[in-house]
């Protein structure tokens, strides 16, 4: 037993076999790994292709030791992804991937001639440009119009096209074909996708060819021997200006101040009621407060226009007629979602000694009304305009108050004060693919031609988008005022005012006019992204017929002009503005006032116009 006891003690004290030994203790602060931890697979950073595992942090790149200041070791090739290609710049990405090849004749895809990518200075060394942020934009437009129509046409006193027509009014059918080609070019500097250009040079030329055929002589030409049809052409300069942003952009919304000098487009209000033209001038404009506040300060020297095309005639001396404009826009003024505009416009006319005959031989200044003496005037227009929405109702409105002095009223040959008002409002409601519109307009008329106040409202150069626009018969057609001068019209083409002017393009404003009242309703139906149907109905009245009674030597003339009904179909086969086709028809159902003033050979009460228009844009 004594021998066995030490042996047992030795067995208890002997170390176990190596495979049975406990794992060694881990150093302080570390945890010993177990066999099951060695069997865990590595973490997959991507559970779904393109998405990383939450909480996964990729291994850090190899430490870079900066040995000399300014030098960093280039990353190894494997650091770059293999599914990406280097490109020259962001504008040529699609072309670098081989998806699009630039073509001069392709107006839809990216094109350097449309300003989609900057000019390569190396390819145009003759251009004085530096850097890679100069763009060139070319716009080419073909505008074709065919328009058969009827309107009251006076019979010539000296001669007539048909000897059987001896009444005051003859056949009322005429037709017009007009083809206009517009070419615009712009050179501008700046990353235009993200901010306005810092400088821009623009030139736009318009060439018009028109053919008119009417049934009576002395409608197109003053000479009775000239035929009753005319083919005419003219080349006009519609834009030629330099635009320079001389202030730095103040914030990420790119508020700016810019100055523009030259022949430029300008629209004094949202719908073009007062002054919407392309004239020679200087304009300072800009924005502040993240574009919530905008302003314009402008001075314009009105150019003479071609009689038959209405384009700018820059080879003729400008008119002695100046327009000075100051306006300010404020978004969310009065109520949210409404933009308010306050406007002050001063029209200074000094053409009393300027006798002008148009290219067809008719006098345009002074107009053939009253004493036929020259006129000049100073008029201030105070205006408030609003555009936006109230709830779901879209709202556009304008109000103008004209104050000033006419130095020589053509009724009295005395100075007269000008005090006239204008108001227009259009509300619309959108329901899915439909829009329903209500329109109303008021222009005061002169109540007494022989007093020392002229109360008929007239604009400087109106071209409104309102109450059906040029689809409307009254807005589209010019009604000659027979008896008050063959070269005087009740209204002007592309205008709503009954101003009794010789022409909107070459005549003077006339504040001795009968005024206008209009109520209308219309609707637009976007049947597809390519096809729209529109319909409009207006009822028109003269606001005051006192002026008409004196000029016609009549005791009373009713105010009712009649109902103006129109419809239009617009088709854009590519769902873009590159190809736009429009077919519209309008009729005027004459009221008692219109029938009292005008007639036609057949005595019909209805007058109509059809407009077929195709616009191609590159």
């Amino acid at each position: 037993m004594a021998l066995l006891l030490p042996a047992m003690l030795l067995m208890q004290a002997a170390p176990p076999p190596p495979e049975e030994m406990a794992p060694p203790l881990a150093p302080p602060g570390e945890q010993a790994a177990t066999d099951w931890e060695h069997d865990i697979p590595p973490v997959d950073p991507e559970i779904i292709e393109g998405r990383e595992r939450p909480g996964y942090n990729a291994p850090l790149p190899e430490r870079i030791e900066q040995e000399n200041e300014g030098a960093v070791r280039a990353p190894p090739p494997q650091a770059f992804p293999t599914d990406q290609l280097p490109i020259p710049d962001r504008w040529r990405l699609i072309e670098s991937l081989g998806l699009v090849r630039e073509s001069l004749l392709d107006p839809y895809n990216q094109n350097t001639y449309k300003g989609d990518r900057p000019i390569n200075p190396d390819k145009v060394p003759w251009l004085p440009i530096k850097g890679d942020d100069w763009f060139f934009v070319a716009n080419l437009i073909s505008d074709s119009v065919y328009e058969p129509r009827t309107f009251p046409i006076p019979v010539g006193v000296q001669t007539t096209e048909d000897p059987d027509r001896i009444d005051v009014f003859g056949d009322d059918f005429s037709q017009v074909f007009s083809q206009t080609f517009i070419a615009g070019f712009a050179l501008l500097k700046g990353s235009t996708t993200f901010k306005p250009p810092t400088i821009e040079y623009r030139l736009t030329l318009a060439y018009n060819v028109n053919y008119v055929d009417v049934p009576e002589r002395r409608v197109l030409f003053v000479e009775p021997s000239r035929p009753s049809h005319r083919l005419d052409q003219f080349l006009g300069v519609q834009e030629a200006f330099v635009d320079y942003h001389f202030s730095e952009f103040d914030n990420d919304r790119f508020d700016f101040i810019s100055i523009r000098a030259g022949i430029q487009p300008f629209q004094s209000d949202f719908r073009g009621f007062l002054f919407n033209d392309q004239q020679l001038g200087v304009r300072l404009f800009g924005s502040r407060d993240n574009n919530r506040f905008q302003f314009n300060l402008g001075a314009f020297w009105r150019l003479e226009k071609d009689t038959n095309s209405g384009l700018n005639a820059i080879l003729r001396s400008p008119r002695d007629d100046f327009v000075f404009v100051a306006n300010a826009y404020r978004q969310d003024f009065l109520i949210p979602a409404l933009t308010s505009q306050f406007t002050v416009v001063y029209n200074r006319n000094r053409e009393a000694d300027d006798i002008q005959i148009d290219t067809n031989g008719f006098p345009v200044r002074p107009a053939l009304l009253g004493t036929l003496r020259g006129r000049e005037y100073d008029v201030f227009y105070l205006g408030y305009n609003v555009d936006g929405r109230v709830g779901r109702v879209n709202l556009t409105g304008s109000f103008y108050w004209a104050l000033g002095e006419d130095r020589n009223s053509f009724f009295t040959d005395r100075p007269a004060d000008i005090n006239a008002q204008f108001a227009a409002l259009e509300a619309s409601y959108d329901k899915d693919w439909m829009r329903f519109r209500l329109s109303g307009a008021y222009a005061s008329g002169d109540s007494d031609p022989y007093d020392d106040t002229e109360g008929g409202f007239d604009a400087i150069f109106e071209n409104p988008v309102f109450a059906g626009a040029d689809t409307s018969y009254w807005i589209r057609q010019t009604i000659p005022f027979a008896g008050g001068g063959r070269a005087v019209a009740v209204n002007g083409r592309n205008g709503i005012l009954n101003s009794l002017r010789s022409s909107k393009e070459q005549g003077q404003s006339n504040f001795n006019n009968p005024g206008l009242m209009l109520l209308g309703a219309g609707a637009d139906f976007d049947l597809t992204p390519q096809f729209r149907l529109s319909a409009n109905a207006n009822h028109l009245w003269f606001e005051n017929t006192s002026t008409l009674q004196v000029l016609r030597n009549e005791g009373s003339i009713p105010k009712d002009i009649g109902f103006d009904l129109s419809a239009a179909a617009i088709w854009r086969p590519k769902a873009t503005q590159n190809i736009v086709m429009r077919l519209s028809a309008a009729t005027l159902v004459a009221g008692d006032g219109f029938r009292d003033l005008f007639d036609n050979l057949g005595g019909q009460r209805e007058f109509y116009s059809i407009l077929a228009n195709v616009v191609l844009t590159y």
Side-chain angles (χ1 to χ4, degrees):
M1 291 294 293
L3 294 175
L4 291 174
L5 182 58
M8 295 176 64
L9 295 173
L10 291 172
M11 292 177 62
Q12 292 176 0
E19 63 273 7
E20 297 179 4
M21 294 179 62
L25 295 175
E30 298 184 11
Q31 185 178 1
T34 60
D35 292 340
W36 62 271
E37 288 176 322
H38 288 291
D39 296 335
I40 296 176
V43 175
D44 184 6
E46 294 190 358
I47 302 176
I48 301 176
E49 183 178 358
R51 299 180 61 185
E52 292 187 355
R53 183 186 185 94
Y56 173 75
N57 296 321
L60 297 175
E62 182 181 352
R63 180 183 177 86
I64 298 177
E65 297 291 341
Q66 184 73 32
E67 297 178 355
N68 59 314
E69 186 177 354
V72 178
R73 185 181 64 183
Q78 58 269 23
F80 296 95
T82 58
D83 58 346
Q84 297 181 6
L85 298 175
I87 59 174
D89 52 54
R90 62 180 177 85
W91 294 284
R92 293 171 173 79
L93 173 61
I94 297 179
E95 185 177 5
S96 300
L97 296 177
L99 301 177
V100 172
R101 296 299 180 189
E102 180 174 313
S103 173
L104 178 63
L105 302 179
D106 185 356
Y108 297 104
N109 294 305
Q110 280 193 330
N111 196 319
T112 303
Y113 299 98
K114 296 192 305 170
D116 294 329
R117 57 191 65 172
I119 302 171
N120 186 347
D122 298 333
K123 294 184 178 180
V124 285
W126 48 273
L127 274 179
I129 60 174
K130 296 180 180 179
D132 60 354
D133 58 348
W134 282 91
F135 294 80
F136 176 77
V137 181
N139 296 312
L140 303 176
I141 299 175
S142 170
D143 189 351
S144 306
V145 172
Y146 174 66
E147 185 177 7
R149 59 194 179 173
T150 62
F151 62 90
I153 297 179
V155 173
V157 177
Q158 294 89 347
T159 185
T160 178
E161 193 72 20
D162 187 343
D164 294 333
R165 301 172 190 168
I166 57 175
D167 207 345
V168 177
F169 292 94
D171 191 2
D172 57 6
F173 176 78
S174 67
Q175 54 185 336
V176 176
F177 176 77
S178 176
Q179 174 64 53
T180 304
F181 297 101
I182 302 174
F185 309 96
L187 181 66
L188 47 92
K189 177 181 176 60
S191 183
T192 57
T193 302
F194 301 101
K195 64 181 182 181
T198 55
I199 189 168
E200 177 181 2
Y201 304 93
R202 182 174 292 273
L203 174 67
T204 300
L205 306 177
Y207 176 71
N208 174 264
V209 179
N210 59 82
Y211 176 79
V212 184
D213 187 11
V214 298
E216 297 291 345
R217 301 200 178 197
R218 294 200 72 234
V219 174
L220 302 179
F221 301 100
V222 71
E223 300 94 339
S225 59
R226 300 289 296 272
S228 58
H229 57 83
R230 181 188 64 215
L231 178 64
D232 192 31
Q233 59 182 343
F234 190 79
L235 176 65
V237 179
Q238 300 305 100
E239 290 181 321
F241 65 78
V242 178
D243 189 327
Y244 178 67
H245 284 67
F246 60 84
S247 75
E248 296 294 333
F249 302 108
D250 292 340
N251 51 30
D252 56 357
R253 299 299 178 93
F254 303 116
D255 286 336
F256 68 94
I257 295 178
S258 181
I259 190 168
R260 178 178 294 180
I263 302 174
Q264 56 188 286
F266 182 75
Q267 184 170 315
S268 63
D269 52 65
F270 298 111
R271 293 298 183 93
F273 289 116
L274 180 63
F275 182 51
N276 184 8
D277 200 5
Q278 295 168 311
Q279 288 291 348
L280 176 65
V282 177
R283 182 162 66 102
L284 179 72
F285 60 101
S287 65
R288 284 293 180 269
D289 192 16
N290 289 337
N291 202 36
R292 295 180 63 199
F293 175 80
Q294 302 175 18
F295 68 92
N296 284 282
L297 295 173
F300 298 92
W301 190 5
R302 297 186 64 188
L303 299 171
E304 288 284 3
K305 292 184 177 292
D306 176 60
T307 302
N308 300 321
S309 66
L311 301 177
N312 290 332
I314 63 170
L315 298 182
R316 300 179 59 183
S317 298
R319 300 177 56 173
D320 198 356
D321 194 5
F322 296 87
V323 180
F324 302 91
V325 180
N327 60 32
Y329 301 76
R330 181 65 184 181
Q331 296 182 13
D332 301 325
F333 183 77
L334 297 181
I335 63 175
L338 276 182
T339 298
S340 292
Q341 181 209 46
F342 299 90
T343 300
V344 177
V345 179
Y346 169 45
N347 185 198
R348 179 185 184 276
N349 183 282
R350 295 294 182 269
E351 296 177 316
D353 298 325
D354 183 18
I355 299 177
Q356 287 291 328
I357 309 297
D358 67 18
T359 56
N360 300 322
F362 293 102
V364 289
R365 295 197 303 270
L368 298 182
L369 287 173
T371 62
L372 305 182
R373 293 184 60 185
R375 299 171 50 242
E376 61 183 36
Y377 46 84
D378 295 280
V379 187
F380 288 90
Y381 295 90
L382 308 178
Y384 172 73
N385 302 279
V386 64
D387 184 70
R389 61 182 178 84
V390 179
R392 292 193 59 184
V393 178
N394 307 304
L395 196 65
T396 298
S398 291
F399 172 79
Y400 284 105
W401 189 5
L403 297 168
E405 182 184 24
D406 185 350
R407 304 295 175 81
N408 182 37
S409 172
F410 61 77
F411 280 110
T412 65
D413 281 340
R414 298 192 308 265
D417 294 329
I418 297 171
N419 189 345
Q421 300 80 37
F422 171 83
L425 183 67
E426 184 169 274
S428 63
Y429 182 83
D430 297 327
K431 178 65 176 178
D432 298 328
W433 43 273
M434 300 174 289
R435 168 170 288 190
F436 303 96
R437 293 177 278 105
L438 292 176
S439 306
Y442 169 86
S444 63
D446 189 25
S447 59
D448 186 355
Y450 292 110
D451 65 5
D452 294 331
T453 300
E454 298 179 358
F457 184 87
D458 198 3
I460 301 172
F461 191 94
E462 60 166 336
N463 195 356
V465 181
F466 182 76
D470 57 359
T471 299
S472 158
Y473 180 93
W474 194 256
I475 295 176
R476 181 71 183 175
Q477 302 305 323
T478 300
I479 308 300
F481 185 63
R486 190 173 300 275
V488 173
V490 175
N491 61 333
R493 193 169 178 86
N494 296 329
I496 63 173
L497 298 176
N498 300 326
S499 54
L500 291 179
R501 295 171 70 158
S502 56
S503 76
K504 183 174 68 174
E505 291 78 12
Q506 296 178 278
Q508 295 174 292
S509 297
N510 175 26
F511 302 93
N512 280 309
N513 66 65
L516 170 78
M517 293 186 294
L518 179 150
L519 288 177
D524 302 323
F525 305 96
D526 291 324
L527 303 182
T528 70
Q530 298 85 13
F531 189 72
R532 168 181 288 185
L533 284 178
S534 297
N536 207 81
N538 299 323
H539 193 188
L540 303 105
W541 301 266
F542 296 114
E543 198 277 329
N544 195 302
T545 58
S546 297
T547 301
L548 301 178
Q549 294 171 18
V550 173
L551 293 174
R552 280 295 189 90
N553 196 22
E554 293 189 31
S556 65
I557 296 177
K559 294 182 177 181
D560 188 14
I561 296 175
F563 285 92
D564 180 358
L565 311 175
S566 61
I570 301 175
W571 181 42
R572 304 181 304 157
K574 298 294 184 180
T576 67
Q577 295 300 111
N578 296 93
I579 303 176
V580 180
M581 302 180 183
R582 181 175 62 153
L583 180 64
S584 65
T587 182
L588 176 69
V589 182
D592 293 339
F594 192 92
R595 298 185 69 185
D596 187 282
L597 292 169
F598 309 109
D599 203 349
N600 53 36
L601 188 62
Q604 292 91 355
R605 187 177 178 181
E606 296 80 19
F607 299 85
Y608 70 86
S609 69
I610 297 174
L611 177 65
N613 181 215
V614 178
V615 178
L616 307 176
T617 304
Y618 171 82

